[in-house]
Amino acid sequence: MINMKGRRLLPPQLFLIGAIGMLVMRLYCPYDIWLPFPYNLAGILVVGSGLGMAIWGSRAFRRYNTNIHTFKEPGRLVVEGLFKYTRNPMYLGFLVALAGLFIVLGAVSPFVIVVLFLVITNQWYIKFEEHALADKFGQEYEAYKASTRRWI
């Protein structure tokens, strides 16, 4: 887990840091402009879709009155709504939103941040949560895991 002075960096914080990093990369080292204006504006729809997916997932957690905090004990296994199709709709939503931002920015260099977000999320956050869910829900989680993909 990524620590910040004894405090763990939460996924929404990583998302915001990534988005800011992408903007900085676009400004200072765009490398190559691959998608010029106005075509890059299509990325706004992708950003909106991704954020909508992340919000939808977090609302499901609230609706089922379960813990959303990555590093705290899970309260309930949510397997309905978007969770029928992906075990991680909030992470997927953040990733889609960053991909949309990559399109909006239209430069190659910010794509590095999209890949870094994917790797960090997959290797740290999701693996941590999967262990916690398996410990708490055992066979019920294993059955869900076997029937629903991690991403899409």
Side-chain angles (χ1 to χ4, degrees):
M1 290 11 83
I2 300 170
N3 282 331
M4 292 175 11
K5 297 180 185 172
R7 191 170 158 235
R8 292 185 174 164
L9 183 66
L10 297 174
Q13 295 166 326
L14 180 66
F15 167 76
L16 288 174
I17 290 168
I20 292 166
M22 290 175 75
L23 293 170
V24 169
M25 290 182 83
R26 171 61 173 90
L27 288 172
Y28 295 105
C29 58
Y31 183 65
D32 188 26
I33 305 300
W34 68 276
L35 193 61
F37 180 82
Y39 306 106
N40 66 325
L41 297 179
I44 294 170
L45 294 173
V46 180
V47 170
S49 297
L51 292 176
M53 189 182 313
I55 291 166
W56 192 348
S58 68
R59 284 186 177 165
F61 272 39
R62 271 189 245 121
R63 191 171 39 254
Y64 287 99
N65 197 30
T66 190
N67 174 41
I68 195 169
H69 192 289
T70 303
F71 303 109
K72 294 184 179 175
E73 182 180 347
R76 184 171 177 189
L77 184 61
V78 179
V79 298
E80 297 168 358
L82 289 176
F83 290 91
K84 284 192 270 187
Y85 308 103
T86 172
R87 295 194 313 262
N88 300 287
M90 290 171 275
Y91 295 135
L92 181 58
F94 286 147
L95 183 65
V96 168
L98 289 176
L101 183 57
F102 165 66
I103 294 168
V104 169
L105 295 174
V108 174
S109 59
F111 188 69
V112 170
I113 303 292
V114 177
V115 173
L116 281 173
F117 182 86
L118 173 66
V119 169
I120 291 168
T121 301
N122 201 53
Q123 295 302 312
W124 281 283
Y125 296 125
I126 292 175
K127 286 193 177 186
F128 180 88
E129 289 178 358
E130 286 179 343
H131 289 297
L133 290 165
D135 288 347
K136 173 127 187 189
F137 300 107
Q139 192 57 36
E140 181 184 6
Y141 176 69
E142 292 302 324
Y144 171 63
K145 188 176 170 182
S147 67
T148 308
R149 296 177 62 89
R150 179 182 276 174
W151 289 97
I152 50 175

